[in-house]
Structure formats: C-alpha cells, structure tokens
Amino acid sequence: MRTYKDEIAELLAPLTGLSHQELVQAITLPQHLGHGDFAFPCFPLAKKLRKAPPAIAAELAGQIPLNASIVKVEPLNGYLNFFIDPADFARRTLGAIAEQGAAYGASSRGQGKTVVLDYSSPNMGKELAFHHLRGTMIGNSLGKLYMRAGYKVVRINHLGDWGTSYGKLIVMFLREGLQESDLAAMTIERLNALYTAFSNAAKDDPSLEDQAREAFQRLEAGDARYLGLWQAFKDITLMELRRIYGFLDVEFDSYVGEAYFLSHMTRTMDLLAYKGMVTPSQGAEIVDLTAHNLPPVMLRKTDGATLYITRDIAAAIHRKQEYAFDKCLYVVDNGQSLHFQQLIKVLELAGFDWYKEVEHVPFGLVLIKSEEGGWEKGKTRSGQASLLKDVIEGAREKILGIIKEKNPDAVNKEGLALQIGVGALVFSELKNRRLNDIRFEWDKALSFEGDSGPYVQNAHVRLCSILRKSAEKAGRAGADRPAKDGTEGIDFSKLPEPQAQALIRSLSLLPDKVGTALEANDPCPMAQYALEIAEGAHSFIHSCRVLGSAEEKERLFLIDCARIVLGRTLDMIGVPPIEEM
Ligand code: ARG
C-alpha cells in the first residue's frame, strides 16, 4: 500500500536526485509534535549540493506542490517538515488497520528468507530457573517479529542433553540403588535432587567426579543401559519443559539438542583437520586462535570426550545444510559471548563464508533482591536458583488474590490470574533493552499502574469492554468490532481532539516499530510501544466519552483500531492480550 512516506518520496525524488528507497529510509518523524507529521533531513544533501542544510530545506520547501493530503511544508533547522491533513491522516491510518486487521504491521521484507532462532535451550535434568525466562521470551518474541516481517522462522531448542552432567545423574541414580523399574515414578524434582545429592556427596568423595566422567565415557561409547537411563531422564525433562512452555505459550519447531550431534563428531573433526585447523595439545585437540586474539577452542579432551563447542560447530554446519538459513541467531545470555566469538571464528577459518550470517544475540542478567537487600543473579536465600515454575506460581497467586478482591464475579479467575501473572513477568523483562542487566521487583512487576504488564493488559481490557458495552447497547451479542465493517459512513474529521490525534499517530507507527525491533533484534521497542498505545488509549478514553456521544461511531472505530494494534503488539512480546480482568 502506498504510504505517506512513499508519497513524500515521490515528491522529493525529482528535486533531490535520490532514489525512492533512499528517500523512504531517510524520512523520519519530527522530534516535536507541532513540527509536522514527517520530516526529511537535508544534511546528507549538503555535500552533493555544496549548500548548507537550512538553505536546501528552504529551497525545497518552495518547490513542493501541496495537495489534499500534504497541506503544509516548512523548513526548520535543516529539516523539511511535512504536515498532513488530520482527517486524511486518520482516514488512511485507521482505514489501513481496519482493512488489514490482525495482519496490520506485517511486511514482506523477509520474503523468501529463512532465519534460524536458537533460544531457551536449557540443560537437561534440571528444572527451568527464573533466569531462563528472559532468553526464552526474547527468542519467542523475535520469532513472532520475524514471521510478521515475512521470514520463514525455524525455532530451535538446542537442549543441553549431553555432557558430564549426565554421567553425574547416572552415577547418583545407581548409587542410590535405583533401577529401571523406578523410572516410571521418577519426576523432574527427583532428578534435580539427584543432582544436588551428587554435588554434596562429591564434596566428601572427590572420586565421584571421576566416576561421573567414566559414566559419561560409557554413554559416549553407546552403552545400552546408560543410554536407556539417559533417554528416560531426557523424556522426564522434556515433559516438564513442555508444561512450562505451555504456560508461556512458547513453541519450537525442533528440539534437536546436543546429543544429536554425536554422530556428526567424526565428520566435523575430519573437516577441521582437513582445513589444517586442529592442533594436538597435551593429548587434547584444540584450535589455536592466538592470531585472532581469542583463547584456544578445545575440540576434544584427553579422554576423547567432545565438548559443548564441538557440538555447536557441528550444529551450525547442520543448520546451514538443513535450512539454508539467511540468518542464524543465538539468543543466549552475554556470559557466553566468548563462546560465540570462538564459534563464529572457527566457522570463518573453516572457510564457510556464511559465518557472517551467524550472530550471537546476547542479553543481560536478571537480578533479584536478596534477603540481605543486595542484588543477586536469580538466587534465593539458600543459594539455589529460583525455579521458574515457582515464580510463575507466585505471580499467579498474588494476582489471584487481587482479582478475588476487586472482581469477585470474574469467570475463570484461575486462568486469568495465570495470564496476568505471566504477562507481568514477561513485560518486566522485555520492557528493558536486551543488553541491560535488570532488577526484578515483584511489586513493580505486578502493579496495575506504571510501566507494567497488568497496566498494558488493562488498557486492552478497557478497549474491549467499551466495544462490548456498545454491542450490548445495540442488542448484539459479543464484542462489537466496528472496524471490520470498513470505513464506510465514518467521518474522519470528527476525531480532532489532541488525544485522538496522538493515539492515531501512535497507531500509525506499528510497521515502523516492527522494523526497529528487528534491526536491533530486540523486543524492547515493541514493549515500549505497547506502553505508548496503552497511555494513549487511557488518555483518549479519559478525555473523550465514547458511548452516547455525538461522535460515537468515529470514536468506537478508533477504539477498535487501538484494540487491534495493542492486541497484536502484546501478542508479539508474549504478553497475553486478555479481554477481561
Ligand atoms: N544449554 C546452554 C546453557 O544452558 C545454552 C545453549 C545455547 N545454544 C547454543 N547453541 N549454544 O548454557
């Protein structure tokens, strides 16, 4: 669809000699309201035209023909500011939203391209900890954003299902006298307990570590009994993982984890050896990266065991072959930056020119207040990582208390409490820039005021409730959805209030925001955008009575468009767009 940016670019192209694409990319929004609706910065033209930007802006201003949409053009400080007729702006923006509905904000920039996203990817045998939430939800959101931009997205959970840890579990399982017949009653909690028991026991008896290494060697060598136990542990973990992902509404296309790449090890080592990259070092095999200012990569230990990075090298090659990706993103905390620098360097040295398409998308820590008042990395008093399921349950319970008090008649209180609790946790993490460390505070996260999940969900609820009331008033069942009937009969000059105009302007920005979030590989701009719409909606509803007003039809139309855009935005960040609370 032809946008205002297209239209302005068409006017500017013959005057500036810049291409349509260059112009569309250069056109921005003015810094201040009142400075127009779009701005074209003349600075890049200064060199070419050998003139100062303010002079260029003034000259261009005199040459732009005005029309029914573009009603004023003004030069200001080297910018050329464009003013759009407010009714025209409302008609086009709201018309596009009504026409495209849930597809509004979608684009085809990724058409024909594939992006592989690796996120969540926890280690097996352990429960998801609270700190897993951030990466899981950043990945989930990026997946939705890339899909919206037309990419084919492959969402991979690269389970940490191989390594000495599984030796530890097996050793402890057998040491406690457990057998295959006990597996049916085995739970994730009991697996976790085996881990803890191992760590405690190994403090007194260091030989356990050797036993664990041996057990893992037997596993790598394909010992049938050990593999059977390993598979059972894996199945138990997967079941629990899927349960938690269900709460979060997070999905994956593949659960191919590290163990899968065992059969690729020889091939991968041969390839690296063929490229002359493998150096023996005290019985182990490494890739020396000294020339690239990176520590060496250990591919194989003295005992022949392969490592996390060896499997990641194999996995990257496999992904390229399997999916022919245009981008392969690893959403993993910034503690693993070195690992990914090494991985990408090895791919480059191995001659894969697609190493440039591989990218680590790091994120900062989530800190929780300790009992002593300090900020710690998701640890509770006992030093254990707090479990994600407990945090979700805690949030659900607190919200349930509030609902029972404020809205005792609400149907499905339990389900609602879960959706609000999850929304609160997710929003509190994604509203921050990806790379920032964040300080998680229960009260702020669960508050119905301020920049919180419940606040943005509440705005969506209010929009839905006005539409519902209007439908009831008209004797129709269910929520009324005025926008789906199109713009016929709507007088767009009836939305002149500053609150209406500000809201419409916000709604026009969804396509740009998706672009910004994708360029930064960060859902944060979307979360901030949800706040912007929520605030705009609250302030419009507060200052302009909808039902029973002379502009009821137009205002309902705007409300419905705001509902569509806010709903899509919340969905894209993984905050449930609930309709009642
Ligand atoms: N399992 C790893 C961990 O818990 C994260 C894996 C990230 N993905 C990857 N392909 N390395 O630290």
Side-chain angles (χ1 to χ4, degrees), residues 118-124 131-132 158-161 258 308 312 315 319 330-333 336 339-340 343:
D118 176 327
Y119 60 99
S120 203
S121 308
N123 292 333
M124 297 240 328
H131 67 79
H132 283 115
H158 184 77
L159 286 176
D161 57 0
E258 293 187 39
Y308 176 49
D312 250 335
R319 287 175 190 179
Y330 296 83
V331 182
V332 183
D333 68 88
Q336 294 198 27
H339 169 81
F340 287 105
L343 170 64

Side-chain angles (χ1 to χ4, degrees), residues 180-491:
E180 276 74 357
S181 54
D182 297 309
L183 284 171
M186 199 73 186
T187 60
I188 188 76
E189 287 83 5
R190 294 208 56 200
L191 277 184
N192 244 351
L194 282 183
Y195 248 124
T196 321
F198 181 93
S199 309
N200 292 335
K203 278 186 205 129
D204 299 330
D205 179 1
S207 80
L208 278 176
E209 297 282 358
D210 292 330
Q211 290 180 37
R213 264 191 293 278
E214 270 164 42
F216 179 55
Q217 269 174 24
R218 273 178 72 175
L219 203 53
E220 282 220 305
D223 181 284
R225 173 160 196 215
Y226 281 19
L227 272 177
L229 289 175
W230 170 83
Q231 184 64 52
F233 297 161
K234 178 165 170 167
D235 292 343
I236 294 165
T237 317
L238 273 176
M239 214 153 74
E240 172 65 7
L241 273 181
R242 290 209 161 94
R243 191 177 74 92
I244 306 277
Y245 290 142
F247 290 150
L248 301 171
D249 204 11
V250 165
E251 289 176 35
F252 295 93
D253 303 299
S254 158
Y255 275 87
V256 165
E258 293 187 39
Y260 176 83
F261 295 100
L262 195 63
S263 59
H264 292 223
M265 286 299 105
T266 315
R267 190 182 326 161
T268 308
M269 292 299 293
D270 285 353
L271 176 91
L272 298 179
Y274 175 73
K275 300 275 177 179
M277 292 164 65
V278 183
T279 317
S281 168
Q282 296 161 5
E285 288 172 290
I286 65 161
V287 181
D288 184 0
L289 294 177
T290 325
H292 307 279
N293 282 323
L294 287 169
V297 166
M298 187 175 307
L299 297 170
R300 220 201 295 257
K301 294 197 229 173
T302 27
D303 63 8
T306 57
L307 289 100
Y308 176 49
I309 192 152
T310 328
R311 295 187 282 276
D312 250 335
I313 297 167
I317 298 170
H318 170 75
R319 287 175 190 179
K320 184 67 185 180
Q321 286 168 348
E322 183 82 9
Y323 305 113
F325 59 70
D326 297 275
K327 252 184 223 277
C328 176
L329 305 180
Y330 296 83
V331 182
V332 183
D333 68 88
N334 56 17
Q336 294 198 27
S337 292
L338 182 59
H339 169 81
F340 287 105
Q341 279 173 38
Q342 291 175 312
L343 170 64
I344 294 169
K345 186 52 82 182
V346 168
L347 295 173
E348 178 187 351
L349 295 177
F352 296 118
D353 58 354
W354 47 264
Y355 78 92
K356 298 190 197 94
E357 298 155 3
V358 178
E359 202 182 318
H360 177 207
V361 177
F363 55 90
L365 298 174
V366 178
L367 305 167
I368 305 186
K369 210 176 210 143
S370 69
E371 306 287 318
E372 295 76 36
W375 292 94
E376 290 182 356
K377 188 187 164 183
K379 297 270 171 69
T380 57
R381 212 173 2 167
S382 56
Q384 295 275 322
S386 26
L387 298 182
L388 181 53
K389 67 172 186 201
D390 294 341
V391 178
I392 294 177
E393 179 52 25
R396 194 191 63 85
E397 228 164 77
K398 284 186 196 179
I399 297 286
L400 188 59
I402 301 175
I403 299 181
K404 281 185 175 156
E405 187 191 309
K406 289 199 175 159
N407 187 4
D409 303 331
V411 282
N412 186 18
K413 289 193 209 43
E414 304 273 332
L416 209 51
L418 179 65
Q419 288 183 303
I420 300 174
V422 164
L425 296 173
V426 172
F427 193 84
S428 77
E429 303 208 336
L430 298 197
K431 74 174 186 191
N432 298 284
R433 296 262 212 92
R434 171 162 64 72
L435 276 163
N436 291 355
D437 288 347
I438 56 183
R439 302 184 157 190
F440 177 77
E441 289 175 80
W442 277 104
D443 295 346
K444 277 198 188 160
L446 298 185
S447 164
F448 281 69
E449 243 109 282
D451 48 355
S452 69
Y455 172 77
V456 288
Q457 284 178 319
N458 181 240
H460 189 257
V461 167
R462 282 186 78 186
L463 296 167
C464 292
S465 121
I466 293 174
L467 294 167
R468 229 174 6 247
K469 279 193 195 123
S470 130
E472 275 162 26
K473 207 179 76 176
R476 287 188 295 270
D480 204 0
R481 297 281 142 95
K484 77 174 187 318
D485 297 332
T487 55
E488 191 129 353
I490 303 285
D491 179 355

Side-chain angles (χ1 to χ4, degrees), residues 172-185:
M172 218 47 206
F173 182 85
L174 298 174
R175 200 176 129 111
E176 303 222 329
L178 296 166
Q179 293 176 358
E180 276 74 357
S181 54
D182 297 309
L183 284 171

